[in-house]
Amino acid sequence: GTAVAEVRSKWGWFVALGAVLLILGLIAFGNVLFATLVSVLYIGIMMTIAGIAHIFEAFQVRRWGPFLAWLLSGLAYAAAGLLVFYNPVLAAEAMTLALAIILAIAGVLRLGAAGRARPATGWVWLAISGALTILVGVLIAIGWPVSTLWVLGLFLAIDLTFLGLSTLAFGFTLKPPRHTVAA
């Protein structure tokens, strides 16, 4: 329909975005420590802004019953965001450890899902995915706190690179075919 035609007409924008994302991913691969710090600072900025917005909202609804809880929640969020700026390495350490724990738990849950799916064809793929996720979580945890220096930046680099490649591919598949004139 019309939406598809509009998206197809913008194929070059997808290609350009894909190229930018790919370049950013390669830059992040070039310096994963810098990418880690940028990631942590970005999260700190978002938390601080969200906390301030939460505080503002608390005063907009101050006659509402849970005003104090709303206000304290906003203050805590803003304070956590500001602490990231005070000590970004400590924040990166906390985020890296949390990531390791979350990956290990996700892997265990995936293994459980694989066990429940066991009679079905392909259950082994779920089990392999779960085992690999546990392994990544454990490896990050074993290397912690040193893994802090590279894990978040590496994940960002991988994400940006694959997002860039997939956006490039999407853009090029949208490109209309060239019509050739027969001689």
Side-chain angles (χ1 to χ4, degrees):
T2 308
V4 173
E6 183 178 343
V7 170
R8 281 195 183 280
S9 72
K10 306 292 186 198
W11 71 271
W13 287 102
F14 286 100
V15 170
L17 175 61
V20 168
L21 293 170
L22 182 58
I23 290 167
L24 290 173
L26 295 175
I27 290 169
F29 270 120
N31 191 341
V32 292
L33 175 60
F34 179 72
T36 294
L37 289 176
V38 167
S39 300
V40 169
L41 292 174
Y42 175 77
I43 291 168
I45 290 168
M46 294 300 111
M47 289 179 72
T48 303
I49 292 170
I52 291 168
H54 208 79
I55 293 165
F56 179 76
E57 181 65 19
F59 283 102
Q60 299 306 307
V61 294
R62 67 179 161 265
R63 296 191 201 309
W64 186 40
F67 163 76
L68 187 59
W70 205 254
L71 176 64
L72 292 175
S73 174
L75 288 170
Y77 220 76
L82 292 172
L83 284 174
V84 168
F85 290 98
Y86 178 73
N87 193 341
V89 174
L90 180 62
E93 286 177 358
M95 288 178 199
T96 301
L97 186 58
L99 177 64
I101 292 167
I102 289 167
L103 287 172
I105 291 169
V108 168
L109 293 173
R110 243 179 253 154
L111 278 178
R116 286 188 297 280
R118 190 165 184 201
T121 305
W123 72 271
V124 171
W125 291 109
L126 286 175
I128 291 170
S129 171
L132 288 174
T133 303
I134 291 170
L135 178 63
V136 170
V138 168
L139 289 174
I140 291 170
I142 288 171
W144 187 84
V146 175
S147 61
T148 297
L149 300 175
W150 59 270
V151 167
L152 299 175
L154 180 65
F155 279 30
L156 177 64
I158 291 169
D159 183 56
L160 286 172
T161 300
F162 279 103
L163 181 58
L165 289 172
S166 62
T167 305
L168 269 171
F170 180 66
F172 281 125
T173 59
L174 291 174
K175 183 179 177 184
R178 290 185 178 223
H179 298 288
T180 56
V181 178

